[in-house]
Amino acid sequence: MALNDDIAFLAKQPLLGLMDHDALRLVAFAAEDRFLRAGDVLFRRNDGSDGAYLVVSGAIALMSRDDGQPADEVVGPGGLIGELALFASIKRPVTALAREPTQLMKLSRSVMRRVLGESPQSAQAIAAAIGERLQGFMSELSQVRDALIAIDRS
């Protein structure tokens, strides 16, 4: 894809779309293209992470178990795999396997940090969105806690 196409593709992502155009241009310019054949492993569960992958074409199966069970999720074009790994060093919670020939854009955490350091407005927008997500998760956890307490009392 051309650089402008890559920028437009990245901008469709909820978090990345919050970044200003110049910041997205830097991320797109630094992105690495990866091509996998059907059956190729992108990464394994518990591997260290250094960024995220955006599916350009094809499909990636995400599996939390390595026992031959069906995939927990299949990510197709436009799907972002490992979004949290753009901001934090984590172990991969799943194994990612190409289900068919697949093209990916690898987005590295080091590039994202550098770009956000140079674009405070983009960094603020992403921090605010992540904060809203965390508040939503906390609210959901409170509801689960309340439901469990109600079950215990009955």
Side-chain angles (χ1 to χ4, degrees):
M1 289 194 306
L3 183 60
N4 285 334
D5 294 335
D6 288 350
I7 293 167
F9 199 58
L10 291 169
K12 292 179 182 176
Q13 293 301 310
L15 272 185
L16 300 179
L18 298 172
M19 298 172 71
D20 65 46
H21 184 76
D22 289 339
L24 271 180
R25 177 180 293 280
L26 291 171
V27 171
F29 183 76
E32 300 172 33
D33 288 329
R34 295 270 319 259
F35 298 90
L36 301 177
R37 298 177 308 233
D40 284 352
V41 174
L42 179 60
F43 54 78
R44 295 199 180 278
R45 186 168 52 94
N46 293 322
D47 283 352
S49 65
D50 63 351
Y53 295 90
L54 183 59
V55 179
V56 176
S57 65
I60 298 288
L62 303 178
M63 300 165 291
S64 59
R65 298 182 309 262
D66 295 326
D67 58 5
Q69 293 294 318
D72 299 317
E73 181 180 356
V74 176
V75 180
L80 185 62
I81 301 168
E83 181 181 68
L84 182 57
L86 282 173
F87 308 104
S89 179
I90 59 169
K91 294 213 180 271
R92 300 286 186 187
V94 296
T95 295
L97 179 76
R99 291 186 66 150
E100 58 191 64
T102 301
Q103 180 182 356
L104 303 143
M105 290 174 66
K106 181 180 182 192
L107 311 173
S108 79
R109 181 174 48 256
S110 62
V111 169
M112 182 62 68
R113 285 183 176 171
R114 194 168 52 236
V115 168
L116 293 177
E118 294 173 10
S119 178
Q121 293 161 320
S122 295
Q124 286 179 327
I126 288 177
I130 291 173
E132 287 176 18
R133 283 187 188 180
L134 287 173
Q135 286 179 339
F137 292 146
M138 293 301 293
S139 176
E140 290 175 18
L141 285 173
S142 291
Q143 292 173 8
V144 169
R145 183 196 66 215
D146 293 346
L148 290 173
I149 290 170
I151 290 170
D152 272 352
R153 291 184 180 155
S154 53

